[in-house]
Amino acid sequence: MSDPAKVRRHAERVRELVASVVRSQIKDPRLGMITITDARITADLRDATVFYTVLGDAVAQADTAAALESAKGMLRSTVGKALGLRHSPTLTFVLDDVQDQVKHIDDLLAAARNADAEVQRLAAQAKYAGEPQPYRVDEDEDDADEATDTLRGGEAR
């Protein structure tokens, strides 16, 4: 097992290398507006997962995935030489659907805001279910308390 700090450094280096190679060396016309967002590498430094986003529709995403798949060998050799490891890590490309997740979270927050507004609207119109004084007050008890106070030498209420 490798040191976790070393694994993080290698993952960051893989992300930088793949982004640099995609930007400068891959001339595939299928490659869209791509951003390499993250890279993760296993503790044994054998497998690397590279996350990317593509600006565009599903067709642009599919074309970019095909372009990355065809350039995988060149990317792997470049990463292996730059890292100086005994074994070059295998690269797996995963479409990072951050925009979809952001939209989903925004929709959930909007639904929660609407529900809160509805609850506040209902609370503003709400009335108590019972009487304003919910406790029963016996007139006899008040008279008994005044009599007890008088006997003790205190003032009546």
Side-chain angles (χ1 to χ4, degrees):
M1 290 297 215
S2 295
D3 180 32
K6 180 180 176 183
V7 172
R8 281 193 303 273
R9 280 194 314 270
H10 281 305
E12 182 65 25
R13 185 75 177 129
V14 166
R15 186 187 67 79
E16 292 170 358
L17 287 167
V18 170
S20 173
V21 170
V22 164
R23 182 177 55 246
S24 63
Q25 295 179 9
I26 297 178
K27 304 297 181 195
D28 195 333
R30 298 176 293 179
L31 197 63
M33 296 289 290
I34 185 172
T35 302
I36 306 298
T37 57
D38 193 16
R40 296 185 185 144
I41 195 164
T42 58
D44 62 357
L45 304 176
R46 294 278 184 139
D47 298 310
T49 304
V50 179
F51 296 91
Y52 67 95
T53 60
V54 178
L55 187 64
D57 57 353
V59 175
Q61 292 174 356
D63 289 345
T64 300
L68 288 174
E69 198 63 34
S70 68
K72 188 185 284 191
M74 181 185 67
L75 288 167
R76 182 178 180 195
S77 66
T78 303
V79 167
K81 288 176 189 173
L83 290 180
L85 298 173
R86 176 175 288 178
H87 301 283
S88 295
T90 59
L91 299 177
T92 305
F93 293 99
V94 176
L95 180 65
D96 195 2
D97 58 348
V98 172
Q99 287 84 10
D100 295 338
Q101 292 175 359
V102 167
K103 184 180 179 323
H104 179 67
I105 290 173
D106 285 344
D107 292 344
L108 291 174
L109 288 173
R113 273 193 295 274
N114 291 339
D116 286 347
E118 180 66 19
V119 166
Q120 287 178 351
R121 186 185 64 78
L122 292 173
Q125 298 172 355
K127 296 179 183 172
Y128 288 106
E131 299 172 4
Q133 170 61 343
Y135 301 106
R136 189 180 319 177
V137 178
D138 291 337
E139 299 297 328
D140 297 336
E141 289 180 10
D142 289 339
D143 295 337
D145 288 340
E146 289 176 9
T148 306
D149 288 340
T150 306
L151 291 175
R152 291 187 182 157
E155 294 182 12
R157 293 185 207 170

